[in-house]
């Protein structure tokens, strides 16, 4: 059975729903998702599935302004990108966002919440990200993504950007999404050289 990541937005004023739907559509089209692209349901939704999903959800969770879920397909970068996106929405709108992943192998990562862009403890997401790289396998090659808090050696300062490495190349990008896009372009380029 596939893991399912549920996400919720609470406290979002109605006048921002159209914009949030547009932001989800932009995220869905910004990259190739191994799982289904992210989507959102709210009182603004016009699709039958989204309207019914949201209607049933509001009966159980009346404080939810918008919600959705993703069925994971073995790519942890999908889950990480949606977590960063939820954090950014929380900061942008000054709201509470949350994610629930009941089947995540690490109990401490089954629930994640952001209040105005910060974790309930007050820390930034980057402060608690793993201190090791996130690995994505594409076409038999491994791409390593290093969070901004990652240090190459104990004396080195953390980078303000995401680092990525593949085929002996290391580079930086401002966001994980941009790092992934650049790494995939490099991998595609190497594929053309080799074949």
């Amino acid at each position: 059975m596939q893991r399912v990541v549920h996400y919720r937005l609470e406290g979002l004023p109605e006048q921002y729903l159209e914009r949030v739907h547009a932001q989800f559509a932009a995220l869905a089209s910004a990259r190739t998702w191994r799982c289904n692209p992210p989507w959102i349901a709210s009182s603004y939704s016009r699709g039958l599935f989204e309207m019914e999903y949201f209607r049933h959800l509001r009966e159980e969770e009346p404080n939810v302004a918008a919600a959705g879920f993703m069925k994971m397909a073995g790519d942890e970068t999908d889950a990480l990108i949606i977590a960063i996106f939820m954090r950014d929405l929380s900061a942008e709108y000054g709201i509470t966002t949350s994610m629930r992943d009941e089947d995540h192998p690490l109990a401490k990562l089954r629930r994640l919440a952001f209040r105005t862009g910060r974790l309930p403890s007050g820390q930034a997401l980057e402060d608690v990200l793993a201190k090791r790289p996130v690995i994505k396998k594409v076409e038999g090659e491994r791409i390593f993504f290093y969070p901004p808090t990652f240090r190459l050696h104990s004396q080195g300062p953390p980078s303000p950007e995401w680092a990525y490495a593949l085929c002996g190349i290391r580079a930086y990008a401002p966001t994980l999404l941009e790092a992934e896009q650049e790494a995939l372009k490099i991998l595609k380029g190497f594929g053309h050289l080799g074949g």
Side-chain angles (χ1 to χ4, degrees):
M1 185 166 171
Q2 288 181 315
R3 282 177 44 210
V4 178
V5 175
H6 297 266
Y7 41 87
R8 308 278 188 264
L9 285 73
E10 295 180 19
L12 182 70
E14 287 278 327
Q15 69 262 26
Y16 296 121
L17 287 174
E18 182 177 3
R19 185 167 175 220
V20 166
H21 277 262
Q23 288 173 301
F24 265 89
L27 177 65
S29 65
R31 66 187 290 267
T32 301
W33 296 83
R34 187 172 272 173
C35 63
N36 292 332
W39 58 277
I40 194 75
S42 72
S43 59
Y44 179 78
S45 296
R46 300 297 173 253
L48 180 61
F49 174 78
E50 291 84 358
M51 290 185 336
E52 284 300 300
Y53 171 79
F54 189 68
R55 184 178 68 81
H56 287 285
L57 183 64
R58 283 297 290 267
E59 290 174 4
E60 295 175 22
E61 301 176 41
N63 294 332
V64 172
F69 62 86
M70 292 171 51
K71 291 181 181 178
M72 302 307 297
D75 190 343
E76 289 305 312
T77 52
D78 288 351
L80 187 54
I81 286 172
I82 198 71
I84 292 169
F85 184 66
M86 288 289 108
R87 186 267 325 262
D88 292 349
L89 289 176
S90 174
E92 180 177 348
Y93 297 106
I95 61 171
T96 297
T97 61
S98 62
M99 293 177 58
R100 191 178 75 240
D101 182 359
E102 295 299 334
D103 296 320
H104 195 286
L106 300 176
K108 67 181 181 178
L109 296 179
R110 290 189 178 147
R111 295 187 186 278
L112 190 60
F114 300 100
R115 291 185 182 90
T116 61
R118 313 269 310 165
L119 295 167
S121 65
Q123 293 178 294
L125 176 62
E126 288 77 7
D127 293 339
V128 296
L129 282 176
K131 302 295 188 220
R132 57 178 167 57
V134 174
I135 301 169
K136 178 178 181 135
K137 288 188 178 182
V138 180
E139 299 174 13
E141 293 291 331
R142 295 187 311 172
I143 304 172
F144 296 85
F145 298 100
Y146 300 91
T149 54
F150 181 80
R151 294 173 187 236
L152 284 174
H153 52 82
S154 62
Q155 301 300 315
S159 167
E161 297 184 306
W162 279 84
Y164 58 96
L166 72 153
C167 304
I169 298 173
R170 179 186 295 269
Y172 297 88
T175 67
L176 175 59
L177 192 57
E178 291 172 275
E180 180 187 43
Q181 289 171 344
E182 290 301 315
L184 292 173
K185 285 180 192 174
I186 292 169
L187 190 60
K188 187 176 181 179
F190 276 124
H192 289 301
L193 290 173

